Amino acid sequence: WIEVGQPDEKSVRQACGRAKQVVIYTYGGHKADRWWDHSKASLERTKNLTVINVSSDTTSALAALARRDLHLNYTVQDGDMVIGDGEKTVQVAMTTLKEAQAL
């Protein structure tokens, strides 16, 4: 189960009850920080949840790649991700806010 953005706590807890693993990719700078500060206490108890914050600089750089005939390539190696369109590449800066416990 993958969520993007700042989902409400109830839907995250429901997803954690139904799925083996849940990952949230949050973004939005201060808005994402406020969401995590508000949700952290409730979501820390979920064992199968990972929360990853994508930096504002990364989301802005990815938005700059957007166009009508978009074709992206990505590379993931040793936890690092690079996304490109054949002309430009973006190093994806992510911070793990919560790591799921080993199942």
Side-chain angles (χ1 to χ4, degrees):
W1 188 288
I2 297 174
E3 287 279 344
V4 177
Q6 293 89 35
D8 68 283
E9 296 170 38
K10 182 179 178 182
S11 66
V12 174
R13 286 192 307 271
Q14 286 177 340
C16 288
R18 295 178 181 157
K20 183 175 180 180
Q21 183 178 11
V22 177
V23 180
I24 298 173
Y25 289 93
T26 188
Y27 62 93
H30 296 298
K31 185 177 178 183
D33 293 340
R34 284 194 310 270
W35 171 82
W36 181 241
D37 288 343
H38 179 264
S39 303
K40 183 178 181 178
S42 173
L43 298 179
E44 280 288 338
R45 296 181 291 238
T46 56
K47 296 180 180 186
N48 59 336
L49 174 66
T50 299
V51 180
I52 298 171
N53 185 43
V54 180
S55 77
S56 294
D57 291 339
T58 296
T59 56
S60 296
L62 290 172
L65 294 179
R67 61 181 192 270
R68 177 172 240 151
D69 61 343
L70 182 65
H71 295 279
L72 295 176
N73 302 306
Y74 65 94
T75 304
V76 179
Q77 184 174 356
D78 298 327
D80 294 325
M81 180 185 291
V82 177
I83 298 176
D85 65 358
E87 296 175 18
K88 301 178 206 164
T89 60
V90 175
Q91 177 73 38
V92 179
M94 299 181 286
T95 304
T96 301
L97 302 175
K98 181 189 179 312
E99 185 86 35
Q101 296 176 4
L103 301 175

